[in-house]
Short mmCIF file of all heavy atoms in Angstrom, two decimals:
data_model
loop_
_atom_site.label_atom_id
_atom_site.label_comp_id
_atom_site.label_asym_id
_atom_site.label_seq_id
_atom_site.Cartn_x
_atom_site.Cartn_y
_atom_site.Cartn_z
N ALA A 1 -4.21 24.11 -6.31
CA ALA A 1 -5.51 24.63 -6.02
C ALA A 1 -5.95 24.39 -4.58
O ALA A 1 -5.52 23.37 -3.92
CB ALA A 1 -6.46 23.94 -7.03
N LYS A 2 -6.74 25.22 -3.97
CA LYS A 2 -7.14 25.29 -2.60
C LYS A 2 -7.93 23.94 -2.31
O LYS A 2 -7.76 23.54 -1.16
CB LYS A 2 -7.90 26.52 -2.31
CG LYS A 2 -7.16 27.74 -2.34
CD LYS A 2 -8.03 28.93 -1.88
CE LYS A 2 -7.17 30.26 -1.77
NZ LYS A 2 -8.01 31.45 -1.35
N ASP A 3 -8.65 23.45 -3.26
CA ASP A 3 -9.48 22.38 -2.97
C ASP A 3 -8.91 21.01 -3.26
O ASP A 3 -9.52 19.93 -3.13
CB ASP A 3 -10.81 22.39 -3.63
CG ASP A 3 -10.68 22.48 -5.18
OD1 ASP A 3 -9.58 22.71 -5.66
OD2 ASP A 3 -11.67 22.35 -5.93
N PHE A 4 -7.56 21.06 -3.59
CA PHE A 4 -6.92 19.77 -3.99
C PHE A 4 -6.51 19.03 -2.76
O PHE A 4 -5.96 19.58 -1.72
CB PHE A 4 -5.60 20.09 -4.81
CG PHE A 4 -4.93 18.85 -5.41
CD1 PHE A 4 -5.42 18.27 -6.51
CD2 PHE A 4 -3.81 18.34 -4.74
CE1 PHE A 4 -4.82 17.10 -7.00
CE2 PHE A 4 -3.15 17.18 -5.23
CZ PHE A 4 -3.71 16.69 -6.43
N ASN A 5 -6.62 17.74 -2.77
CA ASN A 5 -6.32 16.94 -1.58
C ASN A 5 -4.86 16.56 -1.55
O ASN A 5 -4.46 15.56 -2.20
CB ASN A 5 -7.19 15.57 -1.57
CG ASN A 5 -7.10 14.80 -0.29
OD1 ASN A 5 -6.08 14.85 0.30
ND2 ASN A 5 -8.11 14.12 0.08
N LEU A 6 -4.02 17.36 -0.92
CA LEU A 6 -2.62 17.14 -0.90
C LEU A 6 -2.14 16.00 -0.20
O LEU A 6 -1.17 15.30 -0.67
CB LEU A 6 -1.97 18.40 -0.30
CG LEU A 6 -0.43 18.54 -0.37
CD1 LEU A 6 0.04 18.46 -1.82
CD2 LEU A 6 0.04 19.82 0.27
N THR A 7 -2.85 15.61 0.90
CA THR A 7 -2.39 14.27 1.61
C THR A 7 -2.56 13.13 0.77
O THR A 7 -1.67 12.27 0.70
CB THR A 7 -3.23 14.22 2.87
OG1 THR A 7 -3.16 15.35 3.72
CG2 THR A 7 -2.90 12.92 3.67
N GLN A 8 -3.67 13.03 0.00
CA GLN A 8 -3.92 11.87 -0.87
C GLN A 8 -2.86 11.92 -1.99
O GLN A 8 -2.38 10.88 -2.39
CB GLN A 8 -5.33 11.84 -1.39
CG GLN A 8 -5.54 10.65 -2.15
CD GLN A 8 -7.10 10.68 -2.66
OE1 GLN A 8 -7.65 11.65 -2.83
NE2 GLN A 8 -7.58 9.50 -3.18
N TYR A 9 -2.65 13.03 -2.49
CA TYR A 9 -1.56 13.15 -3.55
C TYR A 9 -0.22 12.67 -3.17
O TYR A 9 0.43 11.98 -3.89
CB TYR A 9 -1.41 14.69 -4.02
CG TYR A 9 -0.31 15.04 -4.90
CD1 TYR A 9 -0.33 14.65 -6.25
CD2 TYR A 9 0.78 15.79 -4.44
CE1 TYR A 9 0.73 15.00 -7.13
CE2 TYR A 9 1.85 16.15 -5.23
CZ TYR A 9 1.83 15.76 -6.51
OH TYR A 9 2.80 16.05 -7.41
N ARG A 10 0.16 13.02 -1.94
CA ARG A 10 1.57 12.57 -1.46
C ARG A 10 1.55 11.05 -1.23
O ARG A 10 2.68 10.50 -1.13
CB ARG A 10 1.90 13.38 -0.20
CG ARG A 10 2.34 14.75 -0.46
CD ARG A 10 2.65 15.53 0.66
NE ARG A 10 3.23 16.82 0.36
CZ ARG A 10 3.19 17.85 1.11
NH1 ARG A 10 2.73 17.83 2.39
NH2 ARG A 10 3.73 19.11 0.79
N THR A 11 0.41 10.39 -1.08
CA THR A 11 0.49 8.92 -1.07
C THR A 11 0.69 8.36 -2.52
O THR A 11 1.16 7.15 -2.60
CB THR A 11 -0.87 8.34 -0.43
OG1 THR A 11 -1.98 8.60 -1.39
CG2 THR A 11 -1.15 8.89 0.92
N LYS A 12 0.32 9.13 -3.42
CA LYS A 12 0.48 8.70 -4.89
C LYS A 12 1.84 9.12 -5.49
O LYS A 12 2.32 8.49 -6.37
CB LYS A 12 -0.57 9.24 -5.81
CG LYS A 12 -2.02 8.84 -5.33
CD LYS A 12 -2.10 7.22 -5.50
CE LYS A 12 -3.55 6.80 -5.19
NZ LYS A 12 -3.61 5.24 -5.33
N VAL A 13 2.41 10.11 -4.97
CA VAL A 13 3.79 10.66 -5.35
C VAL A 13 4.70 10.67 -4.28
O VAL A 13 4.69 11.57 -3.36
CB VAL A 13 3.53 12.14 -6.04
CG1 VAL A 13 4.95 12.62 -6.52
CG2 VAL A 13 2.64 12.09 -7.15
N GLY A 14 5.42 9.54 -4.20
CA GLY A 14 6.37 9.53 -3.00
C GLY A 14 7.73 10.09 -3.22
O GLY A 14 7.97 10.56 -4.36
N MET A 15 8.52 10.31 -2.14
CA MET A 15 9.76 10.91 -2.38
C MET A 15 10.87 10.17 -1.43
O MET A 15 10.65 9.82 -0.28
CB MET A 15 9.71 12.37 -1.81
CG MET A 15 10.91 13.22 -2.17
SD MET A 15 10.42 14.97 -2.30
CE MET A 15 12.05 15.67 -2.76
N VAL A 16 11.98 10.07 -1.99
CA VAL A 16 13.19 9.53 -1.35
C VAL A 16 14.22 10.64 -1.26
O VAL A 16 14.60 11.26 -2.32
CB VAL A 16 13.76 8.31 -2.11
CG1 VAL A 16 15.06 7.80 -1.46
CG2 VAL A 16 12.70 7.23 -2.24
N PHE A 17 14.62 10.94 -0.07
CA PHE A 17 15.59 12.13 0.15
C PHE A 17 16.91 11.64 0.31
O PHE A 17 17.29 10.49 0.60
CB PHE A 17 15.16 12.80 1.45
CG PHE A 17 13.75 13.26 1.61
CD1 PHE A 17 12.75 12.41 1.94
CD2 PHE A 17 13.38 14.61 1.23
CE1 PHE A 17 11.41 12.88 2.02
CE2 PHE A 17 12.14 15.04 1.22
CZ PHE A 17 11.06 14.17 1.62
N GLN A 18 17.86 12.59 0.04
CA GLN A 18 19.25 12.26 0.03
C GLN A 18 19.74 12.03 1.53
O GLN A 18 20.70 11.22 1.75
CB GLN A 18 20.17 13.41 -0.49
CG GLN A 18 20.05 14.78 0.04
CD GLN A 18 20.93 15.81 -0.59
OE1 GLN A 18 22.11 15.66 -0.49
NE2 GLN A 18 20.29 16.83 -1.19
N SER A 19 19.06 12.55 2.51
CA SER A 19 19.41 12.42 3.96
C SER A 19 18.55 11.33 4.66
O SER A 19 18.62 11.39 5.87
CB SER A 19 19.34 13.71 4.67
OG SER A 19 18.05 14.31 4.53
N PHE A 20 18.04 10.52 3.85
CA PHE A 20 17.14 9.33 4.38
C PHE A 20 15.82 9.64 4.99
O PHE A 20 14.81 9.08 4.74
CB PHE A 20 17.95 8.37 5.26
CG PHE A 20 19.42 8.36 4.88
CD1 PHE A 20 20.33 8.51 5.78
CD2 PHE A 20 19.75 7.89 3.68
CE1 PHE A 20 21.76 8.37 5.54
CE2 PHE A 20 21.12 7.75 3.23
CZ PHE A 20 22.10 7.99 4.14
N ASN A 21 15.84 10.54 6.07
CA ASN A 21 14.69 11.03 6.75
C ASN A 21 13.93 9.84 7.46
O ASN A 21 12.75 9.83 7.41
CB ASN A 21 13.64 11.76 5.79
CG ASN A 21 14.16 13.23 5.54
OD1 ASN A 21 15.36 13.47 5.70
ND2 ASN A 21 13.32 14.04 5.13
N LEU A 22 14.69 8.87 7.92
CA LEU A 22 14.03 7.82 8.70
C LEU A 22 13.76 8.27 10.15
O LEU A 22 14.53 9.13 10.63
CB LEU A 22 14.99 6.62 8.63
CG LEU A 22 15.30 5.96 7.26
CD1 LEU A 22 16.32 4.87 7.50
CD2 LEU A 22 13.98 5.42 6.70
N PHE A 23 12.80 7.56 10.76
CA PHE A 23 12.55 7.82 12.21
C PHE A 23 13.68 7.06 13.00
O PHE A 23 13.65 5.79 12.97
CB PHE A 23 11.17 7.38 12.60
CG PHE A 23 10.09 8.15 11.85
CD1 PHE A 23 9.32 7.53 10.96
CD2 PHE A 23 9.90 9.48 12.20
CE1 PHE A 23 8.29 8.20 10.29
CE2 PHE A 23 8.82 10.18 11.53
CZ PHE A 23 8.05 9.58 10.61
N ASN A 24 14.50 7.75 13.70
CA ASN A 24 15.62 7.09 14.48
C ASN A 24 15.18 6.24 15.56
O ASN A 24 15.89 5.27 15.99
CB ASN A 24 16.59 8.14 14.92
CG ASN A 24 17.31 8.87 13.82
OD1 ASN A 24 17.71 8.27 12.79
ND2 ASN A 24 17.61 10.19 13.93
N ASN A 25 14.01 6.47 16.06
CA ASN A 25 13.46 5.64 17.28
C ASN A 25 12.74 4.44 16.83
O ASN A 25 12.13 3.77 17.70
CB ASN A 25 12.69 6.53 18.17
CG ASN A 25 11.40 7.13 17.50
OD1 ASN A 25 11.37 7.14 16.31
ND2 ASN A 25 10.40 7.35 18.36
N MET A 26 12.66 4.22 15.51
CA MET A 26 11.88 3.04 14.92
C MET A 26 12.77 2.14 14.22
O MET A 26 13.86 2.49 13.73
CB MET A 26 10.82 3.52 14.03
CG MET A 26 9.65 4.27 14.55
SD MET A 26 8.42 4.61 13.30
CE MET A 26 7.26 5.68 14.27
N SER A 27 12.38 0.85 14.21
CA SER A 27 13.11 -0.22 13.46
C SER A 27 12.85 0.05 11.96
O SER A 27 11.99 0.86 11.61
CB SER A 27 12.66 -1.60 13.88
OG SER A 27 11.29 -1.79 13.47
N ALA A 28 13.67 -0.65 11.15
CA ALA A 28 13.47 -0.60 9.70
C ALA A 28 12.01 -0.91 9.34
O ALA A 28 11.29 -0.32 8.50
CB ALA A 28 14.41 -1.43 9.04
N LEU A 29 11.51 -2.05 9.92
CA LEU A 29 10.16 -2.51 9.66
C LEU A 29 9.09 -1.38 10.12
O LEU A 29 8.26 -1.13 9.25
CB LEU A 29 9.83 -3.76 10.42
CG LEU A 29 8.53 -4.38 10.24
CD1 LEU A 29 8.25 -4.64 8.79
CD2 LEU A 29 8.33 -5.64 11.13
N ASN A 30 9.27 -0.89 11.27
CA ASN A 30 8.22 0.17 11.74
C ASN A 30 8.32 1.40 10.89
O ASN A 30 7.39 2.11 10.82
CB ASN A 30 8.39 0.36 13.18
CG ASN A 30 7.88 -0.75 14.03
OD1 ASN A 30 6.96 -1.41 13.59
ND2 ASN A 30 8.46 -0.96 15.27
N ASN A 31 9.55 1.71 10.38
CA ASN A 31 9.63 2.87 9.57
C ASN A 31 8.78 2.67 8.20
O ASN A 31 8.18 3.68 7.78
CB ASN A 31 11.10 3.09 9.13
CG ASN A 31 11.83 4.16 9.98
OD1 ASN A 31 11.61 5.32 9.66
ND2 ASN A 31 12.50 3.70 10.88
#
């Protein structure tokens, strides 16, 4: 729906990818 808060939704429904998608310039902690 157009008025749905997608940003807030994605904080409630997380995702783990097969290719990790970590920030290469950050430490594990900062990631």
Side-chain angles (χ1 to χ4, degrees):
K2 289 184 179 179
D3 59 348
F4 187 80
N5 190 329
L6 186 58
T7 302
Q8 186 178 17
Y9 170 72
R10 284 179 174 156
T11 66
K12 297 297 184 183
V13 180
M15 190 157 182
V16 177
F17 301 87
Q18 58 180 298
S19 54
F20 322 127
N21 285 20
L22 297 176
F23 296 111
N24 290 323
N25 62 336
M26 292 186 184
S27 67
L29 180 61
N30 285 332
N31 262 282

